[in-house]
Amino acid sequence: MTEISRRRLLGASGIGAGAGLAAGIGGTYGVMGAAARGGEDSEGFSGKQTVPFYGAHQAGVETPPQAHAVFLAVELKDHVDAAAMRRWLRILSDAAAALTQGKAPLADTEPEMTAQPASLTVTFGFGRKVVELAGADKVPAWLKPLPDYSIDRLRPELCGGDLLMQICSDDPLTLAHASRMLMKDSRAFSEIAWAKESFRRAYGTDPKGTTVRNPFGQVDGTVNPEIDTDDFAALVWGDPNAPARPGASGRKEVESPRGKAPADLNSAHPDWMAGGTTLVLRDIAMDLESWDLADEPARDFSVGRRMKDGSPLTGEHERDIPDLEAVGSDGFKKISPASHVARSRNDKKPAEQIFRRVYSYQSLSKGPIRDDVEGVRQINDAGLMFASFQADIERQYKPIQQRLAEADLLNVWTFPIGSTVWAIPPGASEGGYIGETLFG
């Protein structure tokens, strides 16, 4: 072997003092980095964390929100009937059950990608067409598009779909692989209607229990029902005695400042939805360019809370209850009746509460400065995937949405571009499948 050949071989193999030193440093750093995070076998290593797939309720609702999400809506192909739907749901359920536990489903050609589920969950939602396959008498009256609201700028391509998959994980690579596997299982039965990737804070960025911020910087979700409580069970599952999620110590009683939620919010659910809930999913665009022009007092006034910490304008801390009747020295109410806080609250009706599991999205693109001016600027395509879970859309969601549509100062900067309504069926028992209560 010539000297040149040796050099090429050594270079290609990464052999030599320099390469060995680099490998040693890299290896040591990798081990130390893993140890600093807690290591694969420690409780603090998020990649190995799993969320049970089987249970009375589907995961991904009461589950603490993960850092990343994909909302994937598909349309049924013409040949899909009830029997085909049943087969497909079995396939999807088996695949989701495996993926969420860090195991490879049967059709997985990259099983190495499944080893770090990072709290992966897959939540399925049924549209009207899916339910109709089991019989027209199975379709609840509320499973239909929302009314037209004055603030809507809906795009038809973001408002369709027959089956929804909400796929969430603390790791984006895990999420991408799980989404691909589930779509491989769906090709024979459906086509993509629309999909939206979105995010929250990265895992471990904020202390546990910190309220997330949206692209406006607004603290978003302060008054959400607390998971693992009877209040949550009543408002979301429609049953204050609903089973707690797997791994939880049980449900605790809470005294909501709005009063006790009604115990019959699931009364409009058909029998097959026992243990399920409803989802209103709104894609809300946010105009960051014009939001940049509003100063801090204007932002606080519009929201009714201080941007810096989420505290109401009548309080000092985020969790303080807003006093919507308090009047300032100028004779005007401290919290404007047109603010987002004032319009979204109705303390006289405990039923008018929802559980929002909000995810953000944002990307850059080029766009005109103005129609009559030459040149381009960077445009932020930003917004929220506003996932609202509630037992009763008519009694919980719609009254709130109607007030917001009539008058909400945030409407200056936000407008819904997508809107869908889904029935979230109950969870499945091991060996069963999601939708078994409907298709039998």
Side-chain angles (χ1 to χ4, degrees):
M1 183 181 291
T2 64
E3 183 62 26
I4 293 177
S5 298
R6 287 193 197 93
R7 288 175 182 172
R8 287 176 177 171
L9 177 61
L10 291 174
S13 304
I15 300 174
L21 179 60
I25 293 173
T28 302
Y29 179 82
V31 171
M32 290 178 67
R37 290 192 304 270
E40 292 192 5
D41 295 326
S42 88
E43 189 176 340
F45 186 72
S46 65
K48 293 297 184 183
Q49 291 180 0
T50 60
V51 178
F53 177 78
Y54 296 112
H57 312 296
Q58 286 197 68
V61 180
E62 200 161 1
T63 307
Q66 302 93 317
H68 304 274
V70 170
F71 296 90
L72 177 59
V74 297
E75 295 176 336
L76 301 184
K77 291 186 175 181
D78 291 339
H79 69 83
V80 175
D81 57 12
M85 193 73 212
R86 188 183 299 112
R87 291 195 301 272
W88 182 28
L89 288 172
R90 280 191 177 277
I91 293 169
L92 288 175
S93 298
D94 288 347
L99 288 163
T100 57
Q101 304 310 300
K103 301 175 183 177
L106 290 176
D108 198 339
T109 53
E110 294 86 30
E112 304 81 8
M113 301 280 282
T114 65
Q116 315 291 354
S119 298
L120 176 69
T121 58
V122 181
T123 312
F124 296 99
F126 294 170
R128 190 177 188 89
K129 189 173 181 179
V130 167
V131 180
E132 285 178 339
L133 293 177
D137 60 322
K138 304 290 186 181
V139 183
W142 47 260
L143 189 54
K144 60 185 178 181
L146 294 176
D148 293 330
Y149 294 106
S150 58
I151 57 174
D152 289 352
R153 301 184 196 174
L154 301 182
R155 302 175 186 172
E157 68 273 17
L158 300 178
C159 298
D162 302 317
L163 182 136
L164 176 75
M165 289 178 269
Q166 175 195 270
I167 312 166
C168 304
S169 174
D170 283 323
D171 180 73
L173 189 59
T174 292
L175 185 66
H177 181 70
S179 302
R180 178 169 174 260
M181 292 302 100
L182 292 167
M183 279 312 302
K184 284 176 67 174
D185 289 335
S186 301
R187 288 172 186 162
F189 304 91
S190 67
E191 295 178 347
I192 293 178
W194 54 265
K196 183 77 76 166
E197 298 179 6
S198 48
F199 56 85
R200 293 166 67 97
R201 288 283 196 188
Y203 178 84
T205 300
D206 283 330
K208 184 179 179 181
T210 302
T211 309
V212 71
R213 290 182 182 268
N214 63 34
F216 282 169
Q218 173 193 354
V219 175
D220 197 336
T222 298
V223 294
N224 250 356
E226 185 181 350
I227 65 171
D228 299 327
T229 64
D230 56 356
D231 195 43
F232 184 102
L235 292 167
V236 177
W237 306 121
D239 177 7
N241 300 310
R245 61 192 175 95
S249 57
R251 295 205 178 276
K252 58 183 178 181
E253 292 187 20
V254 295
E255 292 186 12
S256 171
R258 303 191 192 188
K260 198 171 186 65
D264 65 342
L265 290 173
N266 61 359
S267 59
H269 290 191
D271 291 343
W272 65 266
M273 272 196 66
T277 187
T278 77
L279 168 62
V280 174
L281 184 58
R282 302 272 278 179
D283 185 340
I284 303 176
M286 306 174 77
D287 187 350
L288 293 183
E289 271 64 36
S290 62
W291 181 252
D292 287 342
L293 303 177
D295 59 16
E296 186 174 350
R299 296 178 178 188
D300 292 353
F301 181 78
S302 300
V303 176
R305 292 181 179 273
R306 299 179 182 90
M307 296 296 296
K308 63 180 181 180
D309 57 12
S311 61
L313 299 184
T314 55
E316 298 180 358
H317 307 286
E318 180 191 347
R319 306 292 175 184
D320 290 347
I321 299 172
D323 183 352
L324 301 182
E325 302 302 322
V327 176
S329 57
D330 56 4
F332 292 98
K333 288 186 176 181
K334 292 184 177 181
I335 297 179
S336 168
S339 68
H340 184 72
V341 165
R343 299 303 296 176
S344 62
R345 293 180 71 92
N346 185 354
D347 292 337
K348 297 179 181 179
K349 290 190 177 181
E352 292 186 13
Q353 300 178 70
I354 58 176
F355 178 71
R356 54 195 189 276
R357 211 171 185 269
V358 178
Y359 281 85
S360 302
Y361 62 85
Q362 186 174 346
S363 61
L364 289 174
S365 61
K366 287 185 177 181
I369 297 175
R370 282 205 319 264
D371 291 340
D372 59 341
V373 178
E374 293 184 0
V376 296
R377 67 173 179 178
Q378 295 297 323
I379 301 295
N380 280 286
D381 175 19
L384 291 178
M385 292 305 288
F386 188 94
S388 173
F389 293 93
Q390 58 282 304
D392 191 325
I393 292 175
E394 297 292 335
R395 296 163 65 187
Q396 294 177 257
Y397 179 85
K398 284 186 177 180
I400 300 172
Q401 182 60 77
Q402 184 61 42
R403 288 196 301 273
L404 294 174
E406 291 170 352
D408 176 7
L409 291 174
L410 277 185
N411 292 342
V412 174
W413 299 282
T414 65
F415 47 94
I417 57 175
S419 181
T420 49
V421 175
W422 306 93
I424 306 299
S429 57
E430 194 159 355
Y433 64 95
I434 300 297
E436 189 169 10
T437 55
L438 176 61
F439 289 98

